[in-house]
Amino acid sequence: MTIKKSIPGAIALLLILSLLAACGSGSNSNTSGNAEGKGDKPAKETTLTFWHHYSTASPEEKTLTEQLIPQFEAANPGIKVKAVAYPWDQLHKKLQIGSSSSEMPDVARLDIIWVPEFQKQGLLVALDEKFADFDETAKELLEGPLSTGKIGDHYYGLPLNTNTKVMFWNESMLKASGLDKAPETADEFFTAIAGVKAQSDRAWGFGEPALQGWNILPWIWSNGGDVLSPAMDTAQGYLNSSATIEILTKLRAAIQAGQIAGFKPGDVPVTEGHAQGSYAMMAEGPWAFAQFESQFPDFKAAAASFPKGSAGSVQVLGGEDLGIFSKDKQEESWKFVKFLTSEAAQVSMGKVGQIPVNLKAMENSEIKSIAYFAPFLEQLKTSKARPPVAAWPQIDTVINDTMSAIFMTDRDIQGELDKAADQIDALLK
């Protein structure tokens, strides 16, 4: 009797539970499937825009788009990444323009020297303030590159990679000039490029693709000069010092003698020209090895330290930081940033020439077996960062314009540097 009386109630209860379960399934099944990786379509899909300056179709860009982004998306259902490539200078301009037009990426690969500029404009998220696991993430990265994202008391960028340049030398071209190794000093360098030119009117001793700080500062620093004072508040007495004038005088003489080329419109592209016998030497980063391997597999590249001046062999410290610009997708952006700095992602990019900043990646057997990293790791010991001032992009333009005037005309070097120092001081105020 008792059992019979409970049947209608049990049936009603089962019906109610079934309805509740159906409702629950409708609202939560996508999220549950997401978390368990069952492949269910997420309730909401988020698309992150990632702006970068990897060269289109380069090994780095292909690794990013064909390997890393698909891996990230597979591990994070519901998040898609739209990667957009720009040349280095165009990316900088795009970010500057975007800040006034509200067309900004969620995440961007920033030259380390851009971080102060965009932080000053209030465009970058303070990572250590926003994300609770910042310290845990940061401790897995090299301390030096990590410091490039710190402005004041907070971090506005996470390092993606570090780099510097070394001297590449074409063994057959130098041997034809009587040399069996790369020049170790600046004096040997100028002697070597003169010897190369003497052997062929169609060859140059050194290829230099541009005249910005990235290209010119190593020569100035190695000769004991500088651009700004240690306090970074003036260029007077530094950019226009006797040490700077001395090395620029030598470089101009070599350019006018046809021993250095590469930066003028119509010149043979430097990296390609180095592999094909146009330039005996060039100063370039580790990505050049990947380019040689993919485009010129028969060329045997050789690298050595940058020639020593009176102040030693001082190259420019390079690298990129990841910055978050997003206002409404910050958590998703942070996931992507952490992924790109993870051991696995860093190893993948390391294989195509990007020096890792992840400590575990640096110890990875595949990375340690990359022999051509050795000269860069040695050069990094004496590399120097460009001044971390917000006005650096504008200062860099002044440097480029000044060097163009000096190297492509007969104008007085002292006078051009004096004018440049005045312009830079105005930018620093």
Coordinates of all heavy atoms in Angstrom, one line a residue, residues 29-105:
S29 N 26.2 23.1 -20.8 CA 26.9 22.0 -21.5 C 28.1 22.5 -22.3 O 29.1 21.8 -22.3 CB 25.9 21.3 -22.5 OG 25.4 22.2 -23.4
N30 N 28.0 23.7 -22.9 CA 29.1 24.2 -23.6 C 30.3 24.5 -22.7 O 31.5 24.2 -23.0 CB 28.7 25.5 -24.4 CG 27.8 25.2 -25.6 OD1 27.8 24.1 -26.0 ND2 27.1 26.2 -26.0
T31 N 30.0 25.1 -21.6 CA 31.1 25.4 -20.7 C 31.8 24.2 -20.1 O 33.0 24.0 -20.1 CB 30.6 26.3 -19.5 OG1 30.0 27.4 -20.0 CG2 31.7 26.7 -18.6
S32 N 30.9 23.2 -19.8 CA 31.5 21.9 -19.3 C 32.3 21.2 -20.3 O 33.4 20.7 -20.0 CB 30.3 21.0 -18.8 OG 30.8 19.8 -18.4
G33 N 31.8 21.2 -21.6 CA 32.5 20.6 -22.6 C 33.8 21.3 -22.9 O 34.8 20.7 -23.2
N34 N 33.8 22.6 -22.7 CA 35.0 23.4 -22.9 C 36.1 22.9 -21.9 O 37.2 22.7 -22.2 CB 34.7 24.9 -22.6 CG 34.7 25.7 -23.8 OD1 35.0 25.2 -24.9 ND2 34.4 27.0 -23.7
A35 N 35.7 22.9 -20.6 CA 36.7 22.6 -19.6 C 37.2 21.2 -19.7 O 38.4 21.0 -19.4 CB 36.0 22.8 -18.2
E36 N 36.4 20.3 -20.2 CA 36.9 18.9 -20.3 C 37.5 18.6 -21.6 O 37.9 17.5 -21.9 CB 35.7 18.0 -20.0 CG 35.1 18.1 -18.6 CD 33.9 17.3 -18.4 OE1 33.6 16.5 -19.3 OE2 33.2 17.5 -17.4
G37 N 37.5 19.6 -22.5 CA 38.1 19.4 -23.8 C 37.4 18.5 -24.7 O 37.9 17.7 -25.4
K38 N 36.0 18.4 -24.5 CA 35.2 17.5 -25.3 C 34.9 18.0 -26.7 O 34.3 17.3 -27.5 CB 33.9 17.2 -24.6 CG 34.1 16.5 -23.3 CD 32.7 16.3 -22.6 CE 32.9 15.6 -21.3 NZ 31.6 15.4 -20.6
G39 N 35.3 19.3 -27.0 CA 35.2 19.8 -28.4 C 33.8 20.4 -28.6 O 33.5 20.7 -29.7
D40 N 32.9 20.5 -27.6 CA 31.7 21.2 -27.8 C 31.9 22.7 -28.1 O 32.9 23.3 -27.7 CB 30.8 21.1 -26.5 CG 30.4 19.7 -26.2 OD1 30.5 18.9 -27.1 OD2 30.0 19.5 -25.0
K41 N 31.0 23.2 -28.9 CA 31.2 24.6 -29.3 C 30.9 25.5 -28.1 O 29.9 25.4 -27.4 CB 30.2 25.0 -30.4 CG 30.4 26.4 -30.9 CD 29.4 26.7 -32.1 CE 29.6 28.1 -32.6 NZ 28.7 28.3 -33.8
P42 N 31.8 26.4 -27.7 CA 31.7 27.3 -26.6 C 30.5 28.2 -26.8 O 30.1 28.6 -27.9 CB 33.0 28.0 -26.5 CG 33.5 28.0 -27.9 CD 33.1 26.7 -28.4
A43 N 29.9 28.6 -25.6 CA 28.7 29.5 -25.7 C 29.1 30.8 -26.3 O 28.3 31.5 -27.0 CB 28.2 29.7 -24.3
K44 N 30.3 31.3 -26.1 CA 30.8 32.6 -26.6 C 32.2 32.5 -27.1 O 33.1 31.9 -26.4 CB 30.7 33.6 -25.5 CG 31.1 35.0 -26.0 CD 31.1 36.0 -24.8 CE 31.5 37.4 -25.3 NZ 31.4 38.4 -24.2
E45 N 32.5 32.9 -28.3 CA 33.8 32.9 -28.9 C 34.4 34.3 -28.8 O 33.8 35.3 -29.2 CB 33.7 32.4 -30.3 CG 35.1 32.1 -30.9 CD 35.0 31.4 -32.2 OE1 34.9 30.2 -32.2 OE2 35.0 32.1 -33.3
T46 N 35.7 34.3 -28.4 CA 36.4 35.6 -28.3 C 37.6 35.6 -29.3 O 38.3 34.6 -29.4 CB 37.0 35.8 -26.9 OG1 35.9 35.9 -25.9 CG2 37.8 37.1 -26.8
T47 N 37.7 36.7 -30.0 CA 38.8 36.8 -31.0 C 39.8 37.8 -30.5 O 39.4 39.0 -30.3 CB 38.3 37.2 -32.4 OG1 37.4 36.1 -32.9 CG2 39.5 37.3 -33.3
L48 N 41.0 37.4 -30.3 CA 42.1 38.3 -29.9 C 42.8 38.8 -31.2 O 43.1 38.0 -32.1 CB 43.1 37.6 -29.0 CG 42.6 37.2 -27.6 CD1 43.7 36.4 -26.9 CD2 42.1 38.3 -26.8
T49 N 43.2 40.1 -31.2 CA 44.0 40.6 -32.3 C 45.4 40.8 -31.8 O 45.6 41.4 -30.8 CB 43.4 42.0 -32.8 OG1 42.1 41.8 -33.2 CG2 44.2 42.5 -34.0
F50 N 46.3 40.2 -32.5 CA 47.7 40.2 -32.2 C 48.5 40.9 -33.3 O 48.6 40.3 -34.4 CB 48.2 38.8 -31.9 CG 49.7 38.7 -31.6 CD1 50.3 39.5 -30.7 CD2 50.5 37.7 -32.3 CE1 51.7 39.4 -30.4 CE2 51.9 37.6 -32.0 CZ 52.5 38.5 -31.1
W51 N 49.1 42.0 -33.0 CA 49.9 42.7 -34.0 C 51.4 42.4 -33.7 O 51.8 42.4 -32.5 CB 49.7 44.3 -33.9 CG 48.4 44.7 -34.4 CD1 47.3 44.0 -34.9 CD2 47.9 46.1 -34.4 NE1 46.3 44.7 -35.2 CE2 46.6 46.0 -34.9 CE3 48.4 47.3 -34.1 CZ2 45.8 47.2 -35.1 CZ3 47.7 48.5 -34.2 CH2 46.4 48.4 -34.8
H52 N 52.1 42.2 -34.8 CA 53.5 41.8 -34.6 C 54.3 42.3 -35.8 O 53.7 42.8 -36.8 CB 53.7 40.3 -34.4 CG 53.3 39.5 -35.6 ND1 54.1 39.3 -36.7 CD2 52.1 38.9 -36.0 CE1 53.5 38.6 -37.6 NE2 52.3 38.3 -37.2
H53 N 55.6 42.2 -35.7 CA 56.5 42.6 -36.8 C 57.4 41.5 -37.3 O 58.5 41.8 -37.8 CB 57.3 43.9 -36.5 CG 58.1 43.8 -35.2 ND1 59.4 43.5 -35.2 CD2 57.8 44.1 -34.0 CE1 59.9 43.5 -34.0 NE2 58.9 43.9 -33.2
Y54 N 57.0 40.3 -37.2 CA 57.7 39.2 -37.8 C 57.6 39.4 -39.3 O 56.5 39.7 -39.8 CB 57.2 37.8 -37.4 CG 57.4 37.4 -36.0 CD1 56.3 37.2 -35.1 CD2 58.7 37.2 -35.5 CE1 56.6 36.8 -33.8 CE2 58.9 36.8 -34.2 CZ 57.8 36.6 -33.4 OH 58.1 36.2 -32.1
S55 N 58.6 39.2 -40.1 CA 58.6 39.3 -41.5 C 57.6 38.3 -42.1 O 57.7 37.1 -41.7 CB 60.0 39.2 -42.1 OG 60.9 40.2 -41.6
T56 N 56.8 38.8 -43.0 CA 55.8 37.9 -43.6 C 56.5 36.7 -44.3 O 57.5 36.9 -45.1 CB 55.0 38.6 -44.6 OG1 54.4 39.7 -44.0 CG2 53.9 37.7 -45.2
A57 N 56.1 35.5 -44.1 CA 56.6 34.3 -44.7 C 58.0 33.9 -44.1 O 58.6 33.0 -44.6 CB 56.6 34.3 -46.2
S58 N 58.5 34.6 -43.1 CA 59.7 34.2 -42.5 C 59.5 33.0 -41.6 O 58.4 32.6 -41.3 CB 60.2 35.4 -41.6 OG 59.3 35.5 -40.4
P59 N 60.6 32.3 -41.2 CA 60.4 31.1 -40.4 C 59.7 31.4 -39.1 O 58.9 30.6 -38.6 CB 61.8 30.6 -40.1 CG 62.6 31.1 -41.3 CD 62.0 32.4 -41.7
E60 N 59.9 32.6 -38.5 CA 59.3 32.9 -37.3 C 57.8 33.1 -37.5 O 57.0 32.6 -36.7 CB 59.9 34.2 -36.7 CG 61.3 34.2 -36.3 CD 62.2 34.8 -37.4 OE1 61.9 34.6 -38.6 OE2 63.1 35.5 -37.0
E61 N 57.4 33.9 -38.5 CA 56.0 34.1 -38.8 C 55.3 32.8 -39.1 O 54.1 32.6 -38.7 CB 55.9 35.1 -40.0 CG 54.5 35.8 -40.1 CD 53.6 35.1 -41.1 OE1 54.1 34.2 -41.8 OE2 52.4 35.5 -41.1
K62 N 55.9 32.0 -39.9 CA 55.3 30.7 -40.2 C 55.1 29.8 -39.0 O 54.1 29.1 -38.8 CB 56.1 29.9 -41.3 CG 56.1 30.6 -42.6 CD 56.9 29.8 -43.6 CE 56.2 28.5 -44.0 NZ 56.9 27.8 -45.1
T63 N 56.1 29.8 -38.1 CA 55.9 29.1 -36.8 C 54.8 29.6 -36.0 O 54.0 28.9 -35.4 CB 57.3 29.1 -36.0 OG1 58.3 28.5 -36.8 CG2 57.2 28.3 -34.7
L64 N 54.7 30.9 -35.9 CA 53.7 31.6 -35.1 C 52.3 31.2 -35.7 O 51.4 30.7 -34.9 CB 53.8 33.1 -35.2 CG 52.7 33.9 -34.6 CD1 52.6 33.8 -33.1 CD2 52.7 35.4 -35.0
T65 N 52.1 31.3 -37.0 CA 50.7 31.2 -37.5 C 50.4 29.7 -37.8 O 49.2 29.3 -37.7 CB 50.6 32.0 -38.8 OG1 51.6 31.6 -39.8 CG2 50.8 33.5 -38.6
E66 N 51.4 28.9 -38.1 CA 51.1 27.5 -38.5 C 51.2 26.5 -37.3 O 50.6 25.4 -37.4 CB 52.0 27.1 -39.6 CG 51.8 27.9 -40.9 CD 52.7 27.5 -42.0 OE1 53.4 26.4 -41.9 OE2 52.8 28.2 -43.1
Q67 N 51.9 26.9 -36.3 CA 52.1 26.0 -35.2 C 51.6 26.5 -33.8 O 50.7 26.0 -33.2 CB 53.6 25.7 -35.0 CG 54.2 24.9 -36.1 CD 55.7 24.6 -35.8 OE1 56.1 24.4 -34.7 NE2 56.5 24.6 -36.8
L68 N 52.1 27.7 -33.4 CA 51.8 28.2 -32.1 C 50.3 28.6 -31.9 O 49.7 28.2 -30.9 CB 52.7 29.3 -31.7 CG 54.2 29.0 -31.7 CD1 55.0 30.1 -31.1 CD2 54.4 27.7 -30.8
I69 N 49.8 29.4 -32.8 CA 48.4 29.9 -32.7 C 47.4 28.7 -32.7 O 46.5 28.6 -31.9 CB 48.1 31.0 -33.7 CG1 48.8 32.3 -33.3 CG2 46.6 31.2 -33.8 CD1 48.6 33.4 -34.3
P70 N 47.6 27.8 -33.7 CA 46.7 26.6 -33.6 C 46.8 25.8 -32.3 O 45.8 25.3 -31.8 CB 47.2 25.8 -34.8 CG 47.7 26.8 -35.8 CD 48.4 27.8 -34.9
Q71 N 48.0 25.7 -31.8 CA 48.2 25.0 -30.5 C 47.5 25.7 -29.3 O 46.8 25.1 -28.5 CB 49.7 24.9 -30.2 CG 50.4 23.9 -31.0 CD 51.9 23.9 -30.8 OE1 52.4 24.5 -29.9 NE2 52.7 23.2 -31.7
F72 N 47.6 27.1 -29.3 CA 46.9 27.9 -28.3 C 45.4 27.7 -28.4 O 44.7 27.6 -27.4 CB 47.3 29.3 -28.4 CG 46.6 30.3 -27.5 CD1 46.9 30.3 -26.1 CD2 45.5 31.0 -28.0 CE1 46.2 31.1 -25.3 CE2 44.8 31.9 -27.1 CZ 45.2 31.9 -25.8
E73 N 44.9 27.8 -29.6 CA 43.5 27.8 -29.8 C 42.9 26.4 -29.4 O 41.8 26.3 -28.9 CB 43.1 28.1 -31.3 CG 43.4 29.5 -31.7 CD 43.1 29.8 -33.1 OE1 43.1 28.9 -33.9 OE2 43.0 31.0 -33.5
A74 N 43.7 25.3 -29.7 CA 43.2 24.0 -29.4 C 43.2 23.8 -27.8 O 42.3 23.1 -27.3 CB 44.2 22.9 -30.0
A75 N 44.1 24.5 -27.1 CA 44.2 24.4 -25.7 C 43.2 25.3 -25.0 O 42.9 25.2 -23.8 CB 45.6 24.6 -25.2
N76 N 42.7 26.3 -25.8 CA 41.8 27.3 -25.2 C 40.5 27.4 -26.1 O 40.4 28.5 -26.8 CB 42.5 28.6 -25.0 CG 43.6 28.6 -24.0 OD1 43.4 28.8 -22.9 ND2 44.8 28.3 -24.5
P77 N 39.7 26.4 -26.1 CA 38.5 26.5 -26.9 C 37.7 27.8 -26.6 O 37.5 28.1 -25.4 CB 37.7 25.3 -26.6 CG 38.7 24.3 -26.0 CD 39.7 25.2 -25.4
G78 N 37.2 28.5 -27.6 CA 36.5 29.7 -27.4 C 37.3 30.9 -27.6 O 36.8 32.0 -27.6
I79 N 38.6 30.8 -27.7 CA 39.5 31.9 -28.0 C 40.2 31.7 -29.3 O 40.9 30.7 -29.6 CB 40.6 32.1 -26.9 CG1 40.0 32.2 -25.5 CG2 41.4 33.3 -27.2 CD1 41.0 32.3 -24.4
K80 N 40.0 32.7 -30.2 CA 40.7 32.7 -31.5 C 41.7 33.8 -31.5 O 41.5 34.8 -30.9 CB 39.7 32.8 -32.6 CG 38.7 31.7 -32.8 CD 39.3 30.4 -33.2 CE 38.4 29.3 -33.4 NZ 39.0 28.0 -33.8
V81 N 42.7 33.6 -32.3 CA 43.8 34.7 -32.4 C 43.9 35.1 -33.8 O 44.2 34.3 -34.7 CB 45.1 34.2 -31.8 CG1 46.2 35.3 -32.0 CG2 45.0 33.8 -30.4
K82 N 43.7 36.4 -34.1 CA 44.0 36.9 -35.4 C 45.3 37.7 -35.4 O 45.4 38.7 -34.8 CB 42.8 37.9 -35.8 CG 43.0 38.5 -37.2 CD 41.9 39.6 -37.5 CE 42.1 40.2 -38.8 NZ 41.0 41.3 -39.1
A83 N 46.3 37.1 -36.1 CA 47.6 37.7 -36.1 C 47.8 38.6 -37.3 O 47.4 38.2 -38.4 CB 48.7 36.6 -36.2
V84 N 48.3 39.8 -37.1 CA 48.4 40.7 -38.2 C 49.9 41.2 -38.2 O 50.4 41.7 -37.2 CB 47.5 41.9 -38.0 CG1 47.6 42.9 -39.2 CG2 46.0 41.5 -37.8
A85 N 50.6 41.0 -39.3 CA 52.0 41.4 -39.5 C 52.1 42.8 -40.1 O 51.4 43.1 -41.1 CB 52.7 40.4 -40.3
Y86 N 53.1 43.5 -39.5 CA 53.4 44.8 -40.1 C 55.0 44.9 -40.1 O 55.6 44.3 -39.2 CB 52.9 46.0 -39.3 CG 51.4 46.1 -39.2 CD1 50.7 45.6 -38.1 CD2 50.7 46.7 -40.2 CE1 49.3 45.7 -38.0 CE2 49.3 46.9 -40.1 CZ 48.6 46.3 -39.0 OH 47.3 46.5 -39.0
P87 N 55.5 45.6 -41.0 CA 57.0 45.9 -40.9 C 57.2 46.7 -39.6 O 56.3 47.4 -39.1 CB 57.3 46.8 -42.1 CG 56.2 46.4 -43.1 CD 55.0 46.2 -42.3
W88 N 58.4 46.6 -39.1 CA 58.8 47.2 -37.8 C 58.3 48.6 -37.7 O 57.6 49.0 -36.7 CB 60.3 47.0 -37.6 CG 60.8 47.6 -36.3 CD1 60.9 47.0 -35.1 CD2 61.3 48.9 -36.1 NE1 61.4 47.8 -34.1 CE2 61.7 49.0 -34.7 CE3 61.5 50.0 -36.9 CZ2 62.2 50.2 -34.2 CZ3 62.0 51.2 -36.3 CH2 62.4 51.2 -35.0
D89 N 58.7 49.5 -38.6 CA 58.4 50.9 -38.5 C 56.9 51.2 -38.7 O 56.4 52.0 -38.0 CB 59.2 51.7 -39.5 CG 59.1 51.2 -40.9 OD1 58.6 50.1 -41.1 OD2 59.4 52.0 -41.9
Q90 N 56.3 50.4 -39.5 CA 54.9 50.6 -39.7 C 54.0 50.2 -38.5 O 53.0 50.8 -38.2 CB 54.4 49.8 -41.0 CG 54.9 50.4 -42.3 CD 54.3 49.7 -43.5 OE1 53.2 49.1 -43.4 NE2 55.0 49.8 -44.6
L91 N 54.5 49.1 -37.8 CA 53.8 48.7 -36.6 C 53.9 49.8 -35.6 O 52.8 50.1 -34.9 CB 54.4 47.4 -36.0 CG 53.9 47.0 -34.7 CD1 52.4 46.7 -34.8 CD2 54.6 45.7 -34.2
H92 N 55.0 50.4 -35.4 CA 55.1 51.5 -34.5 C 54.2 52.7 -34.8 O 53.5 53.2 -34.0 CB 56.6 52.0 -34.4 CG 56.8 53.1 -33.4 ND1 57.2 54.4 -33.7 CD2 56.6 53.1 -32.1 CE1 57.4 55.1 -32.6 NE2 57.0 54.3 -31.6
K93 N 54.1 53.0 -36.1 CA 53.2 54.1 -36.5 C 51.8 53.7 -36.3 O 50.9 54.5 -35.9 CB 53.5 54.5 -38.0 CG 54.8 55.1 -38.2 CD 55.1 55.4 -39.7 CE 56.4 56.0 -39.9 NZ 56.7 56.2 -41.4
K94 N 51.5 52.4 -36.6 CA 50.1 51.9 -36.5 C 49.6 52.0 -35.1 O 48.5 52.4 -34.8 CB 50.1 50.5 -37.0 CG 48.7 49.9 -37.0 CD 47.9 50.4 -38.2 CE 46.5 49.6 -38.3 NZ 45.7 50.1 -39.4
L95 N 50.5 51.7 -34.1 CA 50.1 51.8 -32.7 C 50.0 53.2 -32.3 O 49.1 53.6 -31.5 CB 51.2 51.1 -31.9 CG 51.3 49.6 -32.0 CD1 52.5 49.0 -31.3 CD2 50.0 49.0 -31.3
Q96 N 50.8 54.1 -32.8 CA 50.7 55.5 -32.5 C 49.4 56.1 -33.0 O 48.7 56.8 -32.3 CB 51.9 56.3 -33.1 CG 53.2 56.1 -32.4 CD 54.3 56.8 -33.1 OE1 54.4 56.8 -34.3 NE2 55.2 57.4 -32.3
I97 N 49.1 55.8 -34.2 CA 47.8 56.3 -34.9 C 46.6 55.6 -34.2 O 45.6 56.3 -33.9 CB 47.8 56.0 -36.4 CG1 48.9 56.7 -37.1 CG2 46.4 56.3 -37.0 CD1 49.1 56.4 -38.5
G98 N 46.7 54.3 -33.9 CA 45.6 53.6 -33.3 C 45.2 54.2 -31.9 O 44.1 54.1 -31.5
S99 N 46.2 54.7 -31.2 CA 45.9 55.2 -29.9 C 44.9 56.4 -29.9 O 44.2 56.7 -29.0 CB 47.2 55.7 -29.2 OG 47.8 56.8 -29.9
S100 N 44.9 57.1 -31.1 CA 43.9 58.2 -31.2 C 42.7 57.8 -32.0 O 41.7 58.5 -31.9 CB 44.6 59.4 -32.0 OG 45.1 59.0 -33.2
S101 N 42.7 56.7 -32.7 CA 41.5 56.3 -33.4 C 40.8 55.1 -32.8 O 39.8 54.7 -33.3 CB 42.0 55.9 -34.8 OG 42.7 54.7 -34.8
S102 N 41.3 54.7 -31.7 CA 40.7 53.5 -30.9 C 40.8 52.2 -31.7 O 40.2 51.2 -31.3 CB 39.2 53.8 -30.6 OG 39.1 55.0 -29.8
E103 N 41.6 52.2 -32.7 CA 41.9 50.9 -33.4 C 43.2 50.3 -32.9 O 44.2 50.6 -33.3 CB 42.0 51.1 -34.9 CG 42.2 49.8 -35.7 CD 42.5 50.0 -37.1 OE1 42.6 51.2 -37.6 OE2 42.8 49.0 -37.8
M104 N 43.0 49.5 -31.9 CA 44.2 49.0 -31.2 C 44.1 47.4 -31.1 O 43.0 46.9 -31.1 CB 44.3 49.5 -29.8 CG 44.6 51.0 -29.7 SD 46.2 51.5 -30.5 CE 47.3 51.1 -29.1
P105 N 45.2 46.8 -31.0 CA 45.2 45.3 -30.9 C 44.9 45.0 -29.4 O 45.0 45.8 -28.5 CB 46.6 44.9 -31.2 CG 47.5 46.1 -30.8 CD 46.6 47.3 -31.1

